[in-house]
Amino acid sequence: KYKNPERVVLTQEEIDTLIAKDFKIKRLEEVRDVFVFCCYTGFSYSDVFNFEHNALSRGIDGEHWLSANRQKTGVKESVPLLPVAYEVVMKYRDHEECLAKNKLLPVNTNQRYNGYLKEIADICGIDKKLTTHIARHTFATTITLTNGVPIETVSAMLGHSSIRTTQIYAKVVEKKVSEDMLSLKEKLYGAVSEKNSERKMG
């Protein structure tokens, strides 16, 4: 019987720590920025590596979007950029290497990228093995599902061919389920509980 592996994700606090860290070494700052970009878009390493300099497009809502056909499934993955991700793109708009290589972001080879991520985790005091996959998992859980984005929408943005693939992330968001049920409990029984309390006190 197949058992889904536990997926490591970053908390919002850990993401904020990464963003706030002032790196003195340029290569670490660039890798951190690319990793944060992936956390806020859900794109895989290969997608970001292949994005060309002018990959941004305007969506039907007038906002900036990024689209790619997933190498793994061939399904189109389209994501409107959140402000954090857009800021990263703008930061490297005139980057010498990006202009020379026609790249959206300065992305290293996968081996070097993961090596630098380990260094970044140590510097930031994050006791998790940062990899290219963790950023995608973090987008699915901490950034979207935990904040109430419907699983159908998350599935479309991740380019999943089946919503069953996206459901592997659902167990990571127990916190969101708990909050929703507490809210429902308050709506259903809050007023009743207050009345019962008044009666008991009377």
Side-chain angles (χ1 to χ4, degrees):
K1 185 180 178 182
Y2 176 74
K3 184 180 179 182
N4 283 323
E6 289 295 325
R7 280 169 168 75
V8 178
V9 300
L10 296 186
T11 64
Q12 187 62 56
E13 289 74 21
E14 288 168 333
I15 299 169
D16 292 341
T17 298
L18 281 173
I19 293 172
K21 188 67 179 177
D22 182 19
F23 289 97
K24 304 300 182 186
I25 303 172
K26 184 183 175 185
R27 62 178 170 81
L28 293 182
E29 181 183 359
E30 290 178 354
V31 169
R32 183 273 311 272
D33 289 343
V34 171
F35 182 80
V36 167
F37 176 84
C38 292
C39 285
Y40 278 87
T41 61
F43 284 110
S44 66
Y45 167 85
S46 58
D47 289 329
V48 179
F49 185 85
N50 290 323
F51 277 133
E52 295 184 347
H53 189 252
N54 293 315
L56 285 187
S57 62
R58 290 282 184 176
I60 56 172
D61 54 2
E63 298 293 320
H64 294 285
W65 286 59
L66 267 176
S67 298
N69 288 321
R70 291 204 68 205
Q71 290 186 351
K72 192 173 178 181
T73 61
V75 177
K76 189 174 182 180
E77 181 176 355
S78 295
V79 181
L81 295 192
L82 291 166
V84 173
Y86 183 69
E87 285 170 16
V88 172
V89 172
M90 289 299 102
K91 180 176 179 178
Y92 294 98
R93 203 67 182 147
D94 299 316
H95 189 276
E96 188 177 338
E97 184 183 341
C98 292
L99 291 171
K101 296 182 178 179
N102 190 27
K103 296 284 188 182
L104 183 71
L105 295 173
V107 186
N108 295 293
T109 60
N110 202 359
Q111 187 176 0
R112 287 173 63 194
Y113 180 74
N114 281 324
Y116 292 155
L117 282 177
K118 183 180 184 305
E119 201 173 335
I120 288 168
D122 291 339
I123 292 171
C124 292
I126 296 173
D127 190 24
K128 290 175 182 175
K129 184 182 178 182
L130 299 188
T131 65
T132 55
H133 299 296
I134 284 181
R136 186 168 167 84
H137 301 329
T138 297
F139 174 74
T141 55
T142 307
I143 302 300
T144 55
L145 289 173
T146 301
N147 287 305
V149 178
I151 196 167
E152 295 84 0
T153 303
V154 176
S155 185
M157 289 193 290
L158 291 173
H160 287 164
S161 55
S162 167
I163 200 166
R164 289 181 64 186
T165 310
T166 319
Q167 286 170 340
I168 60 174
Y169 296 111
K171 64 179 180 180
V172 189
V173 292
E174 289 179 359
K175 178 172 173 274
K176 177 61 184 170
V177 173
S178 174
E179 289 172 356
D180 288 345
M181 290 306 289
L182 284 172
S183 176
L184 175 63
K185 183 179 177 182
E186 190 176 325
K187 286 176 184 175
L188 291 176
Y189 306 110
V192 176
S193 297
E194 287 171 14
K195 287 176 183 175
N196 288 340
S197 296
E198 286 173 7
R199 284 172 190 162
K200 288 175 183 176
M201 288 175 69

